[in-house]
Amino acid sequence: MEDKTISSVSKITQSPLTNKENEPVLEIWGGHPLSGTVTISGAKNSALVLMAGSLLCPEDCRLSNVPDLVDIRRMSQILTALGAKITKNGDILNIDAREINPTKAPYDLVSQLRASFFAIGALLTRFGTVRIPLPGGCAIGARPVELHVKGLQAMGANVFIDSGIVQANVKGRNSRLQGAKIYLDYPSVGATETILMAATLAEGETIIENAAQEPEIVDLANFCCAMGAKIRGAGTKKIIISGVERLHSVDYRVIPDRIEAGTFLVAGAITRSEIALSPVISEHLIPVIAKLETVGCRVIAESGDCLKLIPGALKGTDIETLPYPGFPTDMQAQFMALLSISEGNSVVSETVFENRLRHVAELQRMGANIRVKGNHAFIEGVPMLSGAPVMATDLRASAALVLAGLAAQGKTIVRGLHHLDRGYENLEDKLQGLGAKLERVISNQ
Ligand code: EPZ
């Protein structure tokens, strides 16, 4: 397949944000068992930050196993607006960040894609100045960035926010960030990534205490080290970065998406189907696998990077979302759909985001028995959900509603697919490949 410049690709495949008249919806006919093996795509939340990290390099970088998602296309458009030259060939992105203007991040795109804000660290440490819009809040919470800003200030940056734009520059003659010891009040994934990238080219040593430990942090550190950065401790609460003068070109493969994999494991459990997934890094899924086994399923590691889900009688359990290695907040909605038809009582506590229980109302529309009090959802399992028209409110909620539709009796219509298309590559094709009965149609409501 010939290389495509990203501008042409984004025009062809951007999923439309449509109005009601010709809105794409998913029609799902529940009750069909699944079987077979599904291929897991590259991790969205790694690919996005690696794309930001490519701005550190004054040569070109090649990323492979990049998922084809709306968020990836948006990030490509943002990097292109900053001056990067991006070509896409299948799952390979070639990013040439030689000519970058660090003040050209487009307001409308950055405000729609939080991950693009993480580029602030890379741009500031390479150019000594940056101008980038605040990412703003979203359906699941206010999404502040004070931990990112405090980290950069600790490294010697002047940061001020005016009319929704964050402007930062580096004090001192050589306008180079200085290594610092930074304690994160909360193990924020994005703040850890911002500071880590900023520290790669800073003068001296930076220590991040109470750092996030997610696999995507490790992937970013491995990517930066492959470019010549000096980083130790990624994946632990303490990361040490020794600044270098310059980074070089790299060819790097994105890790598999642990949240997509977890979503498919739940698809097998909720439809009581035996399915296999590959490639998967099973240690990235320890809390999800543990909880699936608690509710009565078995998860078997087969040959290196393949996992098999063996369904079982579903019994309720309690879930509390926590920073990695705790149960991932990005799997909370999907697991709640499963607990809705698991026998007995379950409690789901969302401790990471302040507004990430909006899928409850839609699951209730399908007959789920859930009561919300604060950030806790109290679930009493029902024997069967019933298909209904439902509205997705955010990315992982949309996945939860699809899973609920697969298990429900009758037809479910899921609206708000622009949320789903941000984070799942060809979800309906992959589910159809497993025998699910669903299709994307244009509703004429
Ligand atoms: C990343 O978001 C992921 N996004 C999210 O995935 C994921 O849910 C989240 O990490 C937690 O694992 C990407 O990687 C692109 P945080 P991020 O900073 O970095 C608060 C998905 O569905 N906070 O760890 O924004 C924040 O408000 C998405 O794929 C501050 O208060 O998450 C939240 O309550 C959704 N101040 C908590 O920390 C800050 O400066 C966790 O946020 C930063 C964060």
Side-chain angles (χ1 to χ4, degrees), residues 210-249:
N210 197 30
Q213 303 174 78
E214 275 72 1
E216 293 75 26
I217 306 280
V218 177
D219 212 26
L220 174 63
N222 290 339
F223 169 74
C224 292
C225 287
M227 288 196 289
K230 291 184 170 44
I231 303 170
R232 287 177 288 130
T236 74
K237 284 194 157 309
K238 181 172 182 177
I239 305 177
I240 302 170
I241 307 105
S242 305
V244 297
E245 292 295 325
R246 190 179 191 279
L247 298 175
H248 57 72
S249 193

Side-chain angles (χ1 to χ4, degrees), residues 44-46 48-49 114-115 118 140-149 186-191 193 212 214 216 258-259 323 329-330 351-354 356 395-396:
K44 166 181 83 82
N45 290 346
S46 183
L48 288 170
V49 75
R114 181 177 176 83
F118 305 168
I140 63 177
R143 312 297 291 274
V145 292
E146 87 284 353
L147 296 175
H148 301 243
V149 171
Y186 183 89
S188 153
V189 172
E193 292 168 340
E214 275 72 1
E216 293 75 26
R258 61 192 169 100
I259 303 302
T329 175
D330 293 349
T351 74
V352 176
F353 289 105
E354 69 265 30
R356 205 173 196 176
L395 167 54
R396 305 304 175 181

Side-chain angles (χ1 to χ4, degrees), residues 54-116:
S54 69
L55 295 169
L56 287 164
C57 179
E59 303 169 21
D60 59 349
C61 293
R62 269 163 63 90
L63 294 177
S64 56
N65 199 31
V66 177
D68 185 16
L69 303 168
V70 167
D71 274 6
I72 297 291
R73 293 196 284 272
R74 275 198 185 129
M75 188 64 150
S76 297
Q77 289 169 332
I78 292 165
L79 297 188
T80 302
L82 285 163
K85 293 181 183 53
I86 301 181
T87 53
K88 181 180 188 299
N89 186 353
D91 72 5
I92 296 172
L93 273 192
N94 199 74
I95 302 171
D96 178 347
R98 282 180 178 81
E99 307 291 326
I100 295 292
N101 179 333
T103 66
K104 292 289 183 194
Y107 194 99
D108 57 333
L109 285 173
V110 174
S111 54
Q112 294 174 52
L113 179 61
R114 181 177 176 83
S116 57

Side-chain angles (χ1 to χ4, degrees), residues 264-286:
F264 275 102
L265 286 171
V266 173
I270 206 169
T271 57
R272 295 172 169 75
S273 311
E274 180 175 317
I275 61 169
L277 303 76
S278 173
V280 179
I281 300 175
S282 49
E283 57 262 28
H284 291 173
L285 281 155
I286 288 173

